[in-house]
Amino acid sequence: MSSTTTAARPMSLSIASTQRNRKLSRLSLQRADRYISRNSVIVPRLVIGALVLTGVLFPSLYHHSISSLYSHLYKSRFYNLSTFETIETFLVYAILEPLYTVKFTRNPGLRLDVRGSNPNGLRDISENPKWPRMRRPSRRLREMATFAAPLLLMDLAMIKKFAGVPLTDIRRSGGYTAVPSHSERISASFLAPTIHNLSLSSPLQLVRALPVEPPSSRRIMLELIVSFFIYDMLFFFIHLAFHRLSLLRQFHQPHHKHAEINPQVTNQLSVVERMSLILLANFSLNIIGSHVLTRTMFVPIFVYLLIEIHCGLDLEWGYDKILPNGWGAGSRKHAVHHREGEGSYEPYFCWWDRGLSLLESPAEAMWS
């Protein structure tokens, strides 16, 4: 017995030592990953930071480029179409989402829901995880039509009202006479929606009236920052309502019907939820009187961020890693939200969720 026990002790010590070494190696790998991640985002941080700061502090540097760009757009028939922003949104999504989908399928080691099943956050690459159900572009025509139809309907029925555009130009674009009669008075405010003046000569809202003057880089940068801040706040409360109000929950359920979060989940929305996203984005831009060129630049950033938080990948250059630590939510937190069905209601930033945690669980929030 004693010899067996003596022989078993070195074996158990060896196993414990091996397990300890594995744990230490995992911890060192995690620390190395965090170190690499912090250093790998230095370049994008510097580039974006320099662009924002120079754009705000030295607008004259960009004046010629912006003026030339806007002059070209202003004369473009395509840019003057009432449906331009819907087409732009559709094209940006059609380009970005497949790129993220390809990255998702080719990088199983980055998949968050697979890694999330392991308490150490690490996965054996040899596990060969199953793929979530994903559809080819040719089988998503119905989804595309559902995405575009309500937006195009609004584009063709409602008059576009942008900051810096004279009311007479807005009226002409909407099929009204430049000088209003008593029965044809309309407001220049976006808060007072106006239907296009339907007639045989002008059956649809086909064009939009644009401001003549281009914006400064300072105006563009500040409007982008403020509009995203407003959108993030509004969406947080709407998203919270979608989860906690039984009347709205049914409209949000399609967005959570998936085995594993992936880029295609981005557009897996009910019509009600999709329209709420678009209307909130429009409100966030309109309430601050943003220039139409700011809106044009808002769209690709908006779509890129929506796809990235749903990509299901722990990306090296995720926007949450580029932003100062603790500012951005990113794909990792949104993957947890989809996995657990609660928490991390913010689309882009973290502060509203922190405030909610402080209200609901003050002790937990202080230690997190």
Side-chain angles (χ1 to χ4, degrees):
M1 282 289 290
S2 60
S3 61
T4 306
T5 305
T6 306
R9 279 177 185 169
M11 186 177 293
S12 62
L13 287 171
S14 175
I15 292 170
S17 176
T18 303
Q19 289 175 339
R20 186 167 58 252
N21 288 336
R22 283 178 180 173
K23 188 175 180 180
L24 287 171
S25 65
R26 282 173 178 167
L27 286 171
S28 63
L29 279 170
Q30 287 174 339
R31 287 180 189 137
D33 285 343
R34 281 195 290 268
Y35 176 78
I36 293 168
S37 177
R38 279 197 299 269
N39 283 274
S40 67
V41 296
I42 288 176
V43 172
R45 276 182 178 176
L46 289 174
V47 171
I48 295 170
L51 189 64
V52 172
L53 285 175
T54 54
V56 172
L57 299 177
F58 308 104
S60 58
L61 292 175
Y62 302 94
H63 177 72
H64 178 72
S65 300
I66 292 173
S67 297
S68 299
L69 172 64
Y70 187 68
S71 176
H72 174 74
L73 292 173
Y74 185 80
K75 296 171 185 174
S76 165
R77 288 187 178 182
F78 178 53
Y79 194 68
N80 278 266
L81 289 176
S82 64
T83 54
F84 174 82
E85 288 182 354
T86 296
I87 296 171
E88 182 192 13
T89 304
F90 186 86
L91 290 176
V92 172
Y93 186 86
I95 293 168
L96 291 182
E97 194 242 66
L99 293 176
Y100 275 90
T101 301
V102 169
K103 192 170 183 67
F104 181 89
T105 56
R106 292 182 178 178
N107 295 273
L110 297 177
R111 286 162 58 186
L112 287 162
D113 272 354
V114 174
R115 296 189 343 176
S117 62
N118 188 314
N120 296 314
L122 298 170
R123 186 183 64 78
D124 184 359
I125 300 299
S126 64
E127 285 179 13
N128 191 23
K130 294 181 180 179
W131 296 111
R133 185 181 176 184
M134 302 173 78
R135 292 174 293 169
R136 298 187 180 198
S138 59
R139 297 184 180 180
R140 300 176 67 190
L141 296 177
R142 184 178 175 183
E143 178 189 324
M144 296 174 194
T146 308
F147 168 84
L151 302 178
L152 290 172
L153 182 63
M154 289 182 64
D155 289 337
L156 297 172
M158 309 293 293
I159 297 177
K160 303 287 183 180
K161 299 176 181 180
F162 300 126
V165 180
L167 182 57
T168 52
D169 291 349
I170 293 174
R171 290 181 61 84
R172 285 196 193 96
S173 73
Y176 292 89
T177 57
V179 180
S181 64
H182 181 71
S183 59
E184 289 185 340
R185 294 189 179 277
I186 65 174
S187 171
S189 172
F190 79 96
L191 292 172
T194 307
I195 299 290
H196 179 80
N197 187 24
L198 304 177
S199 64
L200 289 175
S201 60
S202 181
L204 296 170
Q205 177 76 25
L206 297 177
V207 296
R208 55 183 188 163
L210 303 175
V212 177
E213 296 298 323
S216 67
S217 62
R218 176 182 292 145
R219 179 177 177 180
I220 292 172
M221 293 297 179
L222 294 178
E223 285 178 348
L224 284 173
I225 292 168
V226 174
S227 59
F228 273 107
F229 179 84
I230 294 172
Y231 176 81
D232 189 76
M233 174 187 68
L234 294 175
F235 183 82
F236 168 80
F237 290 107
I238 291 293
H239 193 190
L240 189 63
F242 272 128
H243 274 267
R244 299 197 177 181
L245 298 181
S246 55
L247 182 66
L248 297 176
R249 197 175 295 129
Q250 59 182 317
F251 299 117
H252 189 55
Q253 282 177 350
H255 191 54
H256 283 265
K257 285 185 177 178
H258 55 80
E260 177 184 349
I261 190 169
N262 63 79
Q264 293 187 359
V265 173
T266 309
N267 198 42
Q268 190 176 300
L269 304 166
S270 66
V271 175
V272 172
E273 185 171 6
R274 183 178 291 109
M275 291 306 297
S276 71
L277 289 177
I278 300 299
L279 292 175
L280 286 179
N282 263 296
F283 180 86
S284 303
L285 289 159
N286 287 334
I287 197 66
I288 60 173
S290 58
H291 195 279
V292 69
L293 188 58
T294 302
R295 298 173 63 93
T296 303
M297 295 182 177
F298 178 93
V299 168
I301 302 171
F302 174 72
V303 174
Y304 147 68
L305 290 173
L306 278 180
I307 296 172
E308 179 157 309
I309 64 173
H310 291 96
C311 71
L313 298 169
D314 188 7
L315 299 172
E316 184 182 5
W317 277 16
Y319 81 92
D320 55 310
K321 296 176 183 177
I322 295 173
L323 287 173
N325 188 34
W327 283 27
S331 57
R332 290 175 294 180
K333 288 197 174 184
H334 206 68
V336 173
H337 169 78
H338 274 253
R339 194 183 309 133
E340 299 179 357
E342 59 181 19
S344 297
Y345 298 107
E346 76 289 318
Y348 303 140
F349 307 114
C350 295
W351 34 70
W352 301 111
D353 257 286
R354 289 207 188 102
L356 180 66
S357 299
L358 196 61
L359 285 173
E360 295 185 336
S361 307
E364 242 180 78
M366 285 181 69
W367 290 104
S368 63

